[in-house]
């Protein structure tokens, strides 16, 4: 369990790297970001469909018929999608990383004014940014808890995604406040909510949830990851790409890398 928590923490801290790039006024190449985000999306999609969903069905099948187990896990899968969709709707577009990745410098006067007003009441920003990354922490924990090899692969994908997300969080804060320290720390705080999500997942595993119900959580985690990969990572990759097929090639490379790693770990 400690390993799963550490993996979630390290993945979350990758947002600090993005925040640091903003305050140091350094930029990653758009081609690199496009391929990296698509790589992370491909990895998360393959893990979700080939590892996490089947794992959830296996857990539920221990106490239900196979048909019932599949129905319950798929229902949880779509519930996970709905949860992340609701969270995403709570974020103002000018502060939502999934909306601004790839065009961080495009904030207009209206957005800047609104962000200044929001940032003065920092609790709102802390809440919505925290909710945005909370599901990723739960997903990383649940996956690492059952299979550390798969969990590390997922954590790497999340960390790759979190670097440009840190940029996307820090850029509007820096533009709105002119404060490098606030921009860096908001980026860091947005990532630190991932280990908080992992702690909640650990509490559910340890104290509240019978093992037979864990399959439902794995189904929900798979739904969260699929939505994040399709709605956020791939969308951001398309906005960053400078040539046709960069997103597709990156996604296929992510899938192939994870598939290879799973085969190698299974053979070991």
């Amino acid at each position: 369990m400690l390993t799963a928590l550490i993996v979630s923490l390290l993945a979350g801290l990758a947002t600090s790297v993005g925040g640091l790039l903003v305050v140091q006024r350094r930029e990653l190449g758009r081609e690199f970001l496009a391929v990296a985000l698509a790589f992370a999306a491909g990895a998360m999609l393959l893990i979700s469909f080939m590892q996490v969903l089947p794992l959830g069905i296996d857990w539920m099948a221990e106490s239900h018929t196979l048909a019932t187990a599949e129905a319950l896990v798929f229902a949880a899968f779509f519930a996970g999608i709905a949860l992340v969709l609701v969270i995403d709707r709570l974020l103002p577009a000018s502060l939502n990383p999934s909306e601004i990745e790839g065009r961080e410098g495009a904030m207009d006067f209206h957005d800047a004014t609104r962000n200044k007003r929001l940032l003065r009441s920092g609790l709102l920003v802390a809440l919505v940014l925290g909710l945005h990354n909370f599901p990723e922490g739960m997903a990383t924990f649940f996956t690492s808890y059952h299979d550390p090899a798969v969990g590390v692969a997922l954590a790497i994908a999340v960390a790759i995604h979190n670097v440009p997300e840190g940029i996307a969080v820090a850029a509007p804060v820096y533009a709105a406040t002119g404060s490098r320290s606030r921009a860096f720390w908001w980026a860091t705080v947005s990532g630190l909510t991932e280990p908080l999500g992992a702690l909640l997942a650990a509490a559910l595993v340890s104290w509240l949830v019978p093992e037979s119900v864990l399959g439902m959580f794995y189904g929900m985690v798979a739904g969260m990851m699929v939505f994040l990969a399709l709605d956020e990572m791939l969308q951001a990759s398309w906005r960053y790409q400078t040539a046709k097929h960069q997103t597709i090639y990156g996604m296929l490379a992510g899938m192939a890398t994870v598939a290879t790693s799973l085969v190698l770990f299974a053979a070991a």
Side-chain angles (χ1 to χ4, degrees):
M1 185 173 291
L2 179 61
T3 300
L5 290 172
I6 292 173
V7 168
S8 299
L9 173 63
L10 294 177
L13 285 176
T15 57
S16 299
V17 177
L20 189 62
L21 290 172
V22 169
V23 301
Q24 295 296 325
R25 297 184 179 179
R26 297 177 181 174
E27 294 184 1
L28 296 173
R30 294 183 67 86
E31 299 89 348
F32 171 80
L33 287 170
V35 173
L37 283 164
F39 182 97
M44 288 183 71
L45 287 171
L46 192 76
I47 290 171
S48 298
F49 288 122
M50 299 301 295
Q51 291 290 123
V52 182
L53 268 178
L55 177 63
I57 292 171
D58 288 344
W59 275 99
M60 294 302 293
E62 293 183 2
S63 53
H64 300 80
T65 65
L66 180 59
T68 301
E70 289 179 342
L72 290 171
V73 172
F74 282 125
F77 173 83
F78 288 105
I81 291 175
L83 174 62
V84 182
L85 177 61
V86 169
I87 290 171
D88 202 54
R89 293 285 184 179
L90 292 175
L91 273 170
S94 58
L95 282 173
N96 190 337
S98 66
E99 298 291 337
I100 62 179
E101 283 174 336
R103 54 182 183 86
E104 290 82 1
M107 186 167 57
D108 58 23
F109 176 78
H110 174 72
D111 285 339
T113 302
R114 179 172 56 176
N115 284 1
K116 285 181 181 179
R117 189 164 58 248
L118 288 171
L119 289 165
R120 290 193 189 103
S121 59
L123 286 178
L124 173 62
V125 179
L127 173 64
V128 292
L129 290 180
L131 287 173
H132 184 264
N133 281 337
F134 210 73
E136 292 178 13
M138 295 184 68
T140 306
F141 175 86
F142 274 122
T143 311
S144 302
Y145 177 72
H146 176 78
D147 189 335
V150 176
V152 169
L154 174 60
I156 292 171
V158 170
I160 290 171
H161 156 64
N162 277 350
V163 172
E165 181 170 294
I167 295 173
V169 170
V173 175
Y174 186 37
T177 66
S179 170
R180 294 186 178 186
S181 61
R182 291 184 73 178
F184 173 78
W185 286 113
W186 274 123
T188 301
V189 167
S190 73
L192 287 178
T193 57
E194 289 191 19
L196 292 180
L199 285 172
L200 174 61
L204 292 173
V205 169
S206 300
W207 304 321
L208 302 177
V209 179
E211 288 192 350
S212 61
V213 184
L214 277 179
M216 298 285 286
F217 285 98
Y218 284 115
M220 184 174 289
V221 161
M224 292 174 180
M225 291 196 296
V226 167
F227 185 88
L228 289 169
L230 295 177
D231 182 69
E232 185 169 323
M233 295 183 186
L234 285 180
Q235 296 282 350
S237 177
W238 282 321
R239 288 195 289 268
Y240 277 120
Q241 74 176 6
T242 59
K244 192 177 181 180
H245 300 318
Q246 285 175 344
T247 295
I248 297 300
Y249 293 155
M251 183 176 67
L252 292 175
M255 289 181 171
T257 300
V258 170
T260 302
S261 68
L262 294 177
V263 170
L264 292 176
F265 278 118

